């Protein structure tokens, strides 16, 4: 409707003022071009986000396929090297390199944190270093009275798929082990493992967050 008005005004101006009509006539086209450029940019940004998500899934799938050592095996290997309590284990890139390793965090009896790197192909310890953490008291409190270890939690979650990470959730009211699994098709899912019973349940809060993110992306 607005475009028709602009064209009508331009036509009238052409009859009255001659050459000035050309400059006026470009106004509607400029606005349309600007809108088209903006829409194209939004579409390109959305496509890039989708591609980034696919790349992340491909990277995660490649990490899983490159590991012959399971999460429980990596934890057991780390504990043979460094005694203590395993708080988390994750299949991840080593530093800034493309090499994938199991990173196992161990809290020793003297409250020293150790990050142990385990080779995912043979289970050998590649190295260990001490870390500074400020949540030692929280971790100790969460694990007090627990009868399920990180290794046992990983074994329990393995029934849902290949475990790519397991770690203690010491925040909030419901303390638990959290694990992420991946199936052969690439689908990933998060689970909670009870600290006392070892019961595995789907992480509903995480699923709701994913649904909310999907809704935001669609908007």
């Amino acid at each position: 409707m607005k475009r028709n008005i602009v064209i009508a005004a331009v036509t009238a101006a052409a009859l009255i003022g001659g050459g000035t009509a050309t400059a006026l006539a470009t106004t509607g086209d400029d606005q349309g071009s600007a809108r088209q450029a903006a829409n194209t940019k939004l579409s390109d940004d959305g496509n890039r986000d989708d591609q980034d998500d696919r790349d992340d899934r491909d990277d995660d799938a490649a990490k899983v396929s490159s590991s012959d050592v399971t999460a429980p095996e990596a934890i057991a290997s780390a504990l043979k090297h460094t005694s203590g309590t395993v708080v988390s284990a994750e299949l991840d890139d080593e530093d800034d390199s493309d090499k994938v390793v199991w990173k196992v965090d161990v809290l020793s009896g003297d409250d020293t944190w150790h990050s142990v790197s385990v080779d995912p192909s043979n289970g050998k310890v590649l190295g260990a270093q001490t870390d500074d953490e400020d949540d030692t008291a929280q971790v100790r409190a969460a694990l007090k009275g627990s009868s399920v270890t990180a290794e046992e939690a990983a074994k329990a979650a393995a029934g849902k798929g290949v475990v790519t990470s397991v770690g203690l959730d010491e925040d909030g009211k419901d303390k638990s082990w959290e694990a992420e699994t991946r199936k052969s098709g690439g689908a990933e899912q998060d689970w909670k493992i009870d600290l006392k019973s070892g019961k595995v349940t789907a992480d509903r809060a995480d699923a709701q967050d994913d649904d909310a993110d999907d809704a935001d992306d669609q908007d």
Side-chain angles (χ1 to χ4, degrees):
M1 186 68 177
K2 291 181 178 179
R3 182 177 175 82
N4 292 336
I5 294 174
V6 171
I7 292 173
V10 169
T11 302
L15 294 175
I16 299 171
T20 57
T22 303
L24 291 172
T26 61
T27 303
D29 291 339
D30 287 345
Q31 291 174 345
S33 299
R35 285 194 297 270
Q36 183 177 1
N39 291 336
T40 301
K41 183 179 186 302
L42 290 173
S43 177
D44 290 343
D45 288 344
N47 291 336
R48 280 196 294 270
D49 289 341
D50 291 342
Q51 184 61 48
D52 289 343
D53 290 341
R54 286 193 292 269
D55 290 343
D56 289 341
R57 288 193 292 270
D58 290 342
D59 289 343
D60 290 342
K63 292 176 184 178
V64 173
S65 63
S66 67
S67 177
D68 295 323
V69 176
T70 65
E73 291 170 343
I75 291 172
S77 181
L79 286 175
K80 287 181 181 179
H81 181 274
T82 305
S83 61
T85 301
V86 171
V87 180
S88 68
E90 181 181 12
L91 189 63
D92 202 1
D93 296 337
E94 185 177 32
D95 299 325
D96 295 329
S97 68
D98 293 331
K99 184 176 182 179
V100 176
V101 298
W102 279 106
K103 291 184 178 179
V104 184
D105 290 332
V106 181
L107 178 60
S108 61
D110 62 355
D111 287 347
T112 300
W113 287 87
H114 304 267
S115 179
V116 184
S117 298
V118 179
D119 193 316
S121 64
N122 54 29
K124 291 183 178 180
V125 172
L126 300 172
Q129 62 183 27
T130 57
D131 286 337
D132 293 327
E133 300 287 348
D134 57 5
D135 59 348
T136 302
Q138 277 183 287
V139 170
R140 292 291 190 196
L143 289 174
K144 187 176 181 179
S146 171
S147 56
V148 177
T149 65
E151 183 177 354
E152 292 168 340
K155 288 179 179 178
K160 305 296 184 180
V162 178
V163 177
T164 56
S165 70
V166 60
L168 179 67
D169 178 12
E170 73 273 17
D171 297 325
K173 181 180 178 181
D174 298 325
K175 311 294 191 296
S176 67
W177 291 107
E178 291 184 332
E180 182 179 280
T181 62
R182 181 172 291 276
K183 293 187 177 180
S184 57
E188 64 179 34
Q189 191 166 357
D190 294 303
W191 308 89
K192 285 185 174 293
I193 301 94
D194 191 274
L195 290 172
K196 293 184 177 180
S197 67
K199 182 180 179 181
V200 180
T201 56
D203 190 344
R204 301 299 181 189
D206 186 81
Q208 291 173 358
D209 290 342
D210 288 343
D211 291 342
D213 290 341
D214 292 340
D216 291 339
D217 290 341
Q218 291 175 358
D219 291 342

